[in-house]
Amino acid sequence: MKKKGNKKEILNREKMSTIPEVKTLIKIVIGIILILIIVYFLGGLLTGNIKLKKDEEKVEIQYSEILAEQTFKQPNSEYFVIFYNFDSSEKSLIDALSSDLSTIVSIYKVDLSKKFNLSYITNEKSNKKPTSSNELKIYGTTLIRIKNGKVINYVEGLSNIKEYTLGL
């Protein structure tokens, strides 16, 4: 009998024949992984879970709500400032009145329930002739008309504000 080769040669031949099989297996695994990644991204794009562009959020800056300390610091020469609790049951009526007033001149709103505005609220007599925000003493729902930095009208109470706005 003839020997085809010694043991080392036989092992080398076996290794040489398995190397292409291993390379093929690695290529198949990489191909499957790439296909899965492509399918994942396509599925995400189609369902909207993955977005290529960032959605631009429309930012709207509102200038109508101010803090009480800004009452005398508005850029307009004449404007209204209405003080009320934004969470009150009167809100819809006050918003309607504010809308009517805004056709005359600008109107600014102050939420009396905010902590920054609490120091301007009083349970006693209000100051109806303030000359600066330091002198503000607001008692409930109040409408102030300011012209050239001076208070020209000071109306307290929702019913009085309704009457005032109807007279304009």
Side-chain angles (χ1 to χ4, degrees):
M1 273 178 107
K2 252 183 165 184
K3 278 189 176 179
K4 290 189 175 182
N6 61 18
K7 288 182 181 179
K8 285 183 182 180
E9 287 179 12
I10 293 172
L11 288 174
N12 282 339
R13 277 190 227 138
E14 288 177 6
K15 285 181 185 177
M16 297 301 271
S17 65
T18 58
I19 289 176
E21 292 172 7
V22 171
K23 287 182 180 179
T24 305
L25 182 64
I26 291 172
K27 288 179 183 178
I28 291 172
V29 169
I30 290 174
I32 291 172
I33 290 172
L34 287 174
I35 289 172
L36 289 175
I37 290 172
I38 290 170
V39 168
Y40 172 78
F41 280 108
L42 285 176
L45 288 172
L46 292 175
T47 60
N49 292 335
I50 297 174
K51 297 177 183 174
L52 296 177
K53 293 182 181 178
K54 288 186 177 180
D55 289 340
E56 292 183 23
E57 293 181 25
K58 188 174 182 179
V59 177
E60 186 175 316
I61 300 173
Q62 63 85 21
Y63 295 102
S64 63
E65 184 181 343
I66 62 172
L67 296 174
E69 70 180 39
Q70 298 170 323
T71 299
F72 292 92
K73 299 176 183 174
Q74 298 309 307
N76 314 61
S77 63
E78 184 176 0
Y79 54 92
F80 289 104
V81 180
I82 188 160
F83 299 81
Y84 67 102
N85 186 337
F86 286 15
D87 298 327
S88 73
S89 59
E90 304 169 336
K91 183 182 181 347
S92 58
L93 178 59
I94 294 170
D95 286 342
L97 293 172
S98 298
S99 178
D100 291 344
L101 290 172
S102 68
T103 61
I104 300 169
V105 293
S106 297
I107 185 160
Y108 299 95
K109 301 173 184 178
V110 176
D111 186 356
L112 294 177
S113 65
K114 288 195 174 179
K115 290 182 181 181
F116 292 113
N117 299 323
L118 293 179
S119 62
Y120 299 97
I121 300 172
T122 184
N123 290 329
E124 300 167 7
K125 189 175 179 181
S126 58
N127 180 6
K128 296 186 180 188
K129 294 286 183 185
T131 57
S132 69
S133 59
N134 294 336
E135 296 177 3
L136 278 175
K137 297 285 184 205
I138 304 298
Y139 182 78
T141 304
T142 303
L143 177 70
I144 300 176
R145 187 171 188 173
I146 298 175
K147 186 172 186 178
N148 297 323
K150 295 179 182 177
V151 174
I152 58 171
N153 292 101
Y154 188 101
V155 185
E156 238 175 39
L158 185 59
S159 59
N160 293 334
I161 292 171
K162 277 188 348 189
E163 285 179 33
Y164 176 79
T165 56
L166 291 174
L168 292 177

